[in-house]
Amino acid sequence: MIDLHIHTSASDGTYSPKDIVSLAFKKNLRAIAITDHDTIEGTAEAVREGKKVGLEVIPGVEISVEWNNSSIHILGYYIDGTKKVLSSELNNLIRYREERNPRIIEKLNSLGIDISYDEVKTAAGEGTVGRPHFAQILIEKGYVKNGNEAFRKYLQRGASAYVDKKRLSPEEGIHLIEEAGGIAVLAHPFMIDSIGENKMEELILKLKQMGIKGIEALYPTHTVQQTLQLKTIAEKYNLLLTGGSDFHGKQKPKIHLGTGFGKLRVPYELVIRMKKALKG
Ligand code: AMP
Ligand code: ZN
Ligand code: FE
Ligand code: FE
């Protein structure tokens, strides 16, 4: 089994890239992909560690792009980190985060919550700051019981301390991944706000015209029915399938590496198909 959707401490996961590799090795996974939000800072370490222990590690990324006033996530696999366009564009994305984050603090403060950006940055350590780090401080300070409550009350779109951040368009996100030699894949399609079964095929077709090569059909929160629908669409439009847990370590304690909520199984064969597609 494999896991193609993993966050490390380079973004909002709690395990270092090295620790992810050890954990995956212990769990007998045959391949993993590191897919941090807007950064590839963790990929080189993971690839290096993977070589040491004999675990296949795919360098990847997860980019949020703008779609209908909401956000969709595009995964990139087999990213070549040496490409200049990529690092400069990813730096822009990190800058958009840094523009947004203090504004979340202002909103929280105006709601009477005692929280500083320094505290949030400390929670993020060396990694890029994401909303889960705000959630972590809100939990630590007793304002909420858990991450779900933090997002529901304060951090999710529409909640009282939500601040939008500038994002790339889907075309820009997909092209960036292509320019870095990667395969662009639509992440967790059924996590997209206000997407129903009846709009899914239309969205995927549009994204395929923009260059996505696959869809993440296997994902912890997808129902059997939803997974089946995505597989059918993938077959119809000749798209690759991928799957992963979206592991964040202790940041999302119910999600386990490789198995998600416990039932996820992603076959190695999907990696073979990706590699074939890369060779063209
Ligand atoms: P950011 O990159 O700062 O916009 O934060 C995105 C992160 O927040 C991702 O890891 C998401 O999984 C997480 N996230 C977004 N919405 C929610 C939610 N409603 N509940 C829990 N986590 C969420
Ligand atoms: Zn995350
Ligand atoms: Fe995502
Ligand atoms: Fe993710």
Side-chain angles (χ1 to χ4, degrees):
M1 294 295 119
I2 62 172
D3 191 335
L4 301 179
H5 192 151
I6 301 171
H7 296 270
T8 75
S9 53
S11 67
D12 54 0
T14 58
Y15 289 95
S16 69
K18 185 171 185 239
D19 290 344
I20 289 286
V21 171
S22 326
L23 192 58
F25 184 76
K26 272 189 216 136
K27 290 203 163 193
N28 270 321
L29 295 180
R30 196 163 159 203
I32 60 169
I34 302 297
T35 55
D36 278 310
H37 300 285
D38 302 341
T39 181
I40 54 165
E41 287 294 315
T43 57
E45 178 183 322
V47 169
R48 204 164 48 235
E49 283 300 311
K51 282 197 181 118
K52 255 191 225 164
V53 303
L55 172 73
E56 187 171 345
V57 177
I58 300 165
V61 70
E62 181 176 27
I63 298 176
S64 316
V65 302
E66 182 75 27
W67 181 74
N68 276 357
N69 285 323
S70 101
S71 157
I72 62 181
H73 293 180
I74 307 289
L75 293 159
Y77 292 114
Y78 297 99
I79 293 292
D80 176 355
T82 63
K83 290 275 162 31
K84 276 238 164 58
V85 267
L86 180 71
S87 50
S88 77
E89 198 51 61
L90 292 180
N91 280 334
N92 285 338
L93 298 182
I94 289 165
R95 212 181 61 237
Y96 301 155
R97 279 176 185 277
E98 284 164 359
E99 284 165 11
R100 173 198 67 174
N101 294 336
R103 296 175 58 213
I104 299 180
I105 294 291
E106 280 168 25
K107 279 201 170 177
L108 288 168
N109 289 159
S110 74
L111 291 164
I113 291 173
D114 171 36
I115 183 172
S116 72
Y117 193 24
D118 278 343
E119 289 171 319
V120 177
K121 280 194 279 198
T122 304
E126 307 253 293
T128 55
V129 175
R131 281 176 291 163
H133 299 117
F134 290 82
Q136 189 182 323
I137 301 298
L138 291 171
I139 297 166
E140 277 170 25
K141 294 192 140 185
Y143 288 106
V144 293
K145 287 194 293 293
N146 51 44
N148 273 346
E149 191 185 344
F151 270 89
R152 200 178 61 244
K153 277 193 175 160
Y154 300 113
L155 299 170
Q156 73 186 16
R157 179 179 295 273
S160 55
Y162 179 75
V163 179
D164 213 357
K165 74 172 172 328
K166 196 170 166 217
R167 283 182 291 263
L168 298 180
S169 69
E171 289 94 329
E172 288 168 330
I174 292 165
H175 289 155
L176 183 60
I177 290 166
E178 282 176 350
E179 279 174 329
I183 297 178
V185 169
L186 174 62
H188 43 65
F190 278 102
M191 293 292 280
I192 300 168
D193 286 346
S194 72
I195 186 102
E197 280 168 30
N198 49 353
K199 285 196 195 146
M200 189 55 79
E201 184 164 344
E202 189 190 327
L203 169 67
I204 290 172
L205 186 57
K206 256 190 215 149
L207 291 171
K208 180 181 159 122
Q209 285 156 358
M210 295 176 192
I212 60 151
K213 300 284 186 291
I215 43 189
E216 187 180 46
L218 304 172
Y219 189 77
T221 61
H222 287 169
T223 65
V224 173
Q225 194 62 38
Q226 289 171 337
T227 302
L228 194 64
Q229 192 196 355
L230 293 172
K231 282 183 176 172
T232 308
I233 295 173
E235 205 156 311
K236 182 166 170 188
Y237 296 109
N238 196 21
L239 288 161
L240 295 163
L241 290 177
T242 71
S245 66
D246 212 349
F247 185 68
H248 280 71
K250 296 180 182 95
Q251 196 67 255
K252 294 186 182 177
K254 289 184 185 143
I255 295 284
H256 300 281
L257 190 68
T259 54
F261 292 119
K263 287 189 179 154
L264 185 74
R265 300 286 183 276
V266 185
Y268 184 75
E269 195 193 329
L270 303 185
V271 170
I272 298 175
R273 290 196 204 146
M274 272 207 284
K275 285 183 190 161
K276 267 193 197 147
L278 267 184
K279 283 188 191 141

